[in-house]
Amino acid sequence: MRLGENDLIWLLVPICISHHLKTLTFKNFHADDSEICFLKCVLKYARVLEKMDVWWCKTEPRDLKKRRDARKELEIIEKSSAACIINFS
């Protein structure tokens, strides 16, 4: 089962994410739809998020278009925390 951005589960975001999460590090990022959806939902609901570090998967061939598209998708989303900085490594 894959979650989408509009699935009702996102209405049940724990308080620890919405009110306390300041830093998130996501390692081994493949830019799959489910991973992008998860990160977009964190950006949408984490009100005090200051920094998100996304580390690309190093074992797969580099698909530069896929990486560029995923990065753009995450950077343009309306964030709950205007102060959040997203870093890609």
Short mmCIF file of all heavy atoms in Angstrom, two decimals, residues 2 26-35 55-67 70 89:
data_model
loop_
_atom_site.label_atom_id
_atom_site.label_comp_id
_atom_site.label_asym_id
_atom_site.label_seq_id
_atom_site.Cartn_x
_atom_site.Cartn_y
_atom_site.Cartn_z
N ARG A 2 0.57 2.18 -0.83
CA ARG A 2 1.30 3.44 -0.90
C ARG A 2 0.40 4.56 -0.42
O ARG A 2 -0.77 4.62 -0.77
CB ARG A 2 1.75 3.73 -2.33
CG ARG A 2 2.81 2.78 -2.80
CD ARG A 2 3.33 3.22 -4.15
NE ARG A 2 4.41 2.37 -4.53
CZ ARG A 2 5.65 2.78 -4.67
NH1 ARG A 2 5.96 4.04 -4.48
NH2 ARG A 2 6.60 1.95 -5.01
N PHE A 26 16.92 12.39 6.35
CA PHE A 26 16.39 11.26 5.58
C PHE A 26 17.54 10.72 4.74
O PHE A 26 17.99 11.37 3.81
CB PHE A 26 15.24 11.72 4.68
CG PHE A 26 14.44 10.60 4.09
CD1 PHE A 26 13.19 10.28 4.59
CD2 PHE A 26 14.93 9.86 3.03
CE1 PHE A 26 12.45 9.25 4.05
CE2 PHE A 26 14.19 8.82 2.47
CZ PHE A 26 12.95 8.51 2.99
N LYS A 27 18.01 9.52 5.10
CA LYS A 27 19.15 8.91 4.39
C LYS A 27 18.66 7.87 3.39
O LYS A 27 17.58 7.32 3.53
CB LYS A 27 20.10 8.27 5.39
CG LYS A 27 20.77 9.27 6.30
CD LYS A 27 21.76 8.60 7.23
CE LYS A 27 22.44 9.63 8.11
NZ LYS A 27 23.41 9.01 9.02
N ASN A 28 19.50 7.64 2.38
CA ASN A 28 19.22 6.63 1.36
C ASN A 28 17.98 6.99 0.53
O ASN A 28 17.16 6.14 0.21
CB ASN A 28 19.08 5.25 2.01
CG ASN A 28 19.38 4.13 1.05
OD1 ASN A 28 20.16 4.29 0.12
ND2 ASN A 28 18.76 2.99 1.27
N PHE A 29 17.86 8.26 0.19
CA PHE A 29 16.70 8.78 -0.55
C PHE A 29 16.78 8.37 -2.02
O PHE A 29 17.76 8.62 -2.70
CB PHE A 29 16.68 10.31 -0.43
CG PHE A 29 15.50 10.98 -1.06
CD1 PHE A 29 14.22 10.75 -0.62
CD2 PHE A 29 15.69 11.89 -2.09
CE1 PHE A 29 13.13 11.39 -1.18
CE2 PHE A 29 14.61 12.55 -2.66
CZ PHE A 29 13.33 12.29 -2.22
N HIS A 30 15.73 7.71 -2.50
CA HIS A 30 15.64 7.24 -3.88
C HIS A 30 14.75 8.14 -4.74
O HIS A 30 14.66 7.96 -5.94
CB HIS A 30 15.07 5.82 -3.94
CG HIS A 30 15.91 4.80 -3.27
ND1 HIS A 30 15.81 4.50 -1.93
CD2 HIS A 30 16.90 4.00 -3.75
CE1 HIS A 30 16.68 3.56 -1.62
NE2 HIS A 30 17.35 3.24 -2.70
N ALA A 31 14.03 9.04 -4.11
CA ALA A 31 13.07 9.92 -4.79
C ALA A 31 11.86 9.14 -5.31
O ALA A 31 11.26 9.50 -6.32
CB ALA A 31 13.73 10.74 -5.90
N ASP A 32 11.50 8.07 -4.62
CA ASP A 32 10.27 7.34 -4.95
C ASP A 32 9.07 8.20 -4.55
O ASP A 32 9.19 9.06 -3.67
CB ASP A 32 10.20 6.02 -4.18
CG ASP A 32 11.28 5.04 -4.61
OD1 ASP A 32 11.76 5.14 -5.76
OD2 ASP A 32 11.64 4.17 -3.80
N ASP A 33 7.94 7.92 -5.15
CA ASP A 33 6.73 8.69 -4.84
C ASP A 33 6.39 8.67 -3.37
O ASP A 33 6.02 9.68 -2.78
CB ASP A 33 5.54 8.16 -5.64
CG ASP A 33 5.65 8.47 -7.13
OD1 ASP A 33 6.44 9.36 -7.51
OD2 ASP A 33 4.94 7.82 -7.92
N SER A 34 6.51 7.49 -2.72
CA SER A 34 6.16 7.39 -1.31
C SER A 34 7.12 8.20 -0.43
O SER A 34 6.71 8.80 0.56
CB SER A 34 6.11 5.93 -0.86
OG SER A 34 7.36 5.31 -1.07
N GLU A 35 8.40 8.24 -0.79
CA GLU A 35 9.37 9.02 -0.02
C GLU A 35 9.10 10.52 -0.18
O GLU A 35 9.14 11.27 0.79
CB GLU A 35 10.80 8.71 -0.48
CG GLU A 35 11.26 7.32 -0.17
CD GLU A 35 12.61 7.01 -0.75
OE1 GLU A 35 13.01 7.59 -1.78
OE2 GLU A 35 13.30 6.16 -0.15
N TRP A 55 19.68 12.83 2.10
CA TRP A 55 20.89 12.21 1.58
C TRP A 55 20.49 11.23 0.48
O TRP A 55 19.77 10.27 0.72
CB TRP A 55 21.63 11.46 2.68
CG TRP A 55 22.16 12.32 3.78
CD1 TRP A 55 21.62 13.48 4.26
CD2 TRP A 55 23.32 12.09 4.55
NE1 TRP A 55 22.38 13.98 5.27
CE2 TRP A 55 23.45 13.14 5.48
CE3 TRP A 55 24.28 11.09 4.56
CZ2 TRP A 55 24.47 13.22 6.39
CZ3 TRP A 55 25.31 11.16 5.47
CH2 TRP A 55 25.40 12.22 6.37
N TRP A 56 20.98 11.47 -0.71
CA TRP A 56 20.66 10.62 -1.86
C TRP A 56 21.23 9.22 -1.66
O TRP A 56 22.28 9.04 -1.06
CB TRP A 56 21.25 11.21 -3.14
CG TRP A 56 20.65 12.52 -3.52
CD1 TRP A 56 21.22 13.74 -3.36
CD2 TRP A 56 19.37 12.75 -4.11
NE1 TRP A 56 20.37 14.72 -3.81
CE2 TRP A 56 19.24 14.15 -4.28
CE3 TRP A 56 18.33 11.93 -4.50
CZ2 TRP A 56 18.10 14.73 -4.83
CZ3 TRP A 56 17.20 12.50 -5.06
CH2 TRP A 56 17.10 13.88 -5.22
N CYS A 57 20.56 8.25 -2.23
CA CYS A 57 21.04 6.87 -2.25
C CYS A 57 22.32 6.84 -3.09
O CYS A 57 22.37 7.39 -4.18
CB CYS A 57 19.98 5.97 -2.88
SG CYS A 57 20.52 4.29 -3.13
N LYS A 58 23.34 6.19 -2.58
CA LYS A 58 24.62 6.15 -3.28
C LYS A 58 24.81 4.89 -4.12
O LYS A 58 25.75 4.80 -4.89
CB LYS A 58 25.76 6.28 -2.28
CG LYS A 58 25.74 7.62 -1.57
CD LYS A 58 26.97 7.79 -0.71
CE LYS A 58 26.93 9.00 0.17
NZ LYS A 58 26.73 10.27 -0.43
N THR A 59 23.93 3.92 -3.99
CA THR A 59 24.12 2.65 -4.68
C THR A 59 23.44 2.60 -6.05
O THR A 59 23.79 1.76 -6.86
CB THR A 59 23.59 1.48 -3.84
OG1 THR A 59 22.20 1.67 -3.57
CG2 THR A 59 24.38 1.36 -2.54
N GLU A 60 22.49 3.48 -6.31
CA GLU A 60 21.80 3.46 -7.59
C GLU A 60 22.47 4.42 -8.56
O GLU A 60 23.09 5.39 -8.16
CB GLU A 60 20.33 3.87 -7.41
CG GLU A 60 19.53 2.83 -6.70
CD GLU A 60 18.05 3.16 -6.67
OE1 GLU A 60 17.62 4.11 -7.34
OE2 GLU A 60 17.33 2.46 -5.97
N PRO A 61 22.32 4.16 -9.87
CA PRO A 61 22.87 5.10 -10.85
C PRO A 61 22.23 6.48 -10.67
O PRO A 61 21.06 6.59 -10.30
CB PRO A 61 22.48 4.51 -12.20
CG PRO A 61 21.94 3.15 -11.93
CD PRO A 61 21.63 3.05 -10.47
N ARG A 62 22.99 7.50 -10.92
CA ARG A 62 22.48 8.86 -10.75
C ARG A 62 21.56 9.24 -11.90
O ARG A 62 22.00 9.31 -13.04
CB ARG A 62 23.63 9.85 -10.67
CG ARG A 62 24.44 9.67 -9.43
CD ARG A 62 25.48 10.73 -9.34
NE ARG A 62 26.24 10.53 -8.11
CZ ARG A 62 26.89 11.48 -7.49
NH1 ARG A 62 26.92 12.68 -7.98
NH2 ARG A 62 27.54 11.21 -6.39
N ASP A 63 20.33 9.47 -11.58
CA ASP A 63 19.35 9.95 -12.55
C ASP A 63 19.17 11.43 -12.24
O ASP A 63 18.39 11.80 -11.35
CB ASP A 63 18.04 9.18 -12.41
CG ASP A 63 16.99 9.59 -13.42
OD1 ASP A 63 17.12 10.67 -14.04
OD2 ASP A 63 16.02 8.83 -13.58
N LEU A 64 19.90 12.27 -12.95
CA LEU A 64 19.92 13.70 -12.63
C LEU A 64 18.56 14.36 -12.80
O LEU A 64 18.20 15.23 -12.02
CB LEU A 64 20.98 14.41 -13.48
CG LEU A 64 22.42 13.95 -13.20
CD1 LEU A 64 23.39 14.71 -14.09
CD2 LEU A 64 22.77 14.14 -11.74
N LYS A 65 17.79 13.94 -13.80
CA LYS A 65 16.46 14.53 -14.00
C LYS A 65 15.54 14.18 -12.82
O LYS A 65 14.84 15.04 -12.30
CB LYS A 65 15.83 14.06 -15.30
CG LYS A 65 14.46 14.71 -15.55
CD LYS A 65 13.82 14.17 -16.80
CE LYS A 65 12.47 14.77 -17.10
NZ LYS A 65 11.63 15.18 -16.02
N LYS A 66 15.58 12.92 -12.40
CA LYS A 66 14.76 12.49 -11.27
C LYS A 66 15.14 13.26 -10.00
O LYS A 66 14.29 13.70 -9.25
CB LYS A 66 14.93 10.98 -11.04
CG LYS A 66 14.05 10.40 -9.98
CD LYS A 66 14.23 8.88 -9.91
CE LYS A 66 13.30 8.27 -8.89
NZ LYS A 66 13.45 6.81 -8.83
N ARG A 67 16.43 13.43 -9.79
CA ARG A 67 16.90 14.18 -8.62
C ARG A 67 16.46 15.64 -8.69
O ARG A 67 16.01 16.20 -7.70
CB ARG A 67 18.42 14.11 -8.52
CG ARG A 67 18.92 12.77 -8.08
CD ARG A 67 20.41 12.77 -7.90
NE ARG A 67 20.87 11.50 -7.36
CZ ARG A 67 22.00 11.33 -6.72
NH1 ARG A 67 22.82 12.35 -6.55
NH2 ARG A 67 22.33 10.16 -6.26
N ALA A 70 12.64 15.87 -8.06
CA ALA A 70 12.30 15.63 -6.65
C ALA A 70 12.67 16.84 -5.80
O ALA A 70 11.91 17.28 -4.94
CB ALA A 70 13.01 14.38 -6.14
N SER A 89 22.29 16.10 -0.05
CA SER A 89 23.69 15.64 -0.08
C SER A 89 23.79 14.35 -0.89
O SER A 89 22.91 13.56 -0.91
CB SER A 89 24.21 15.36 1.30
OG SER A 89 24.15 16.51 2.10
#
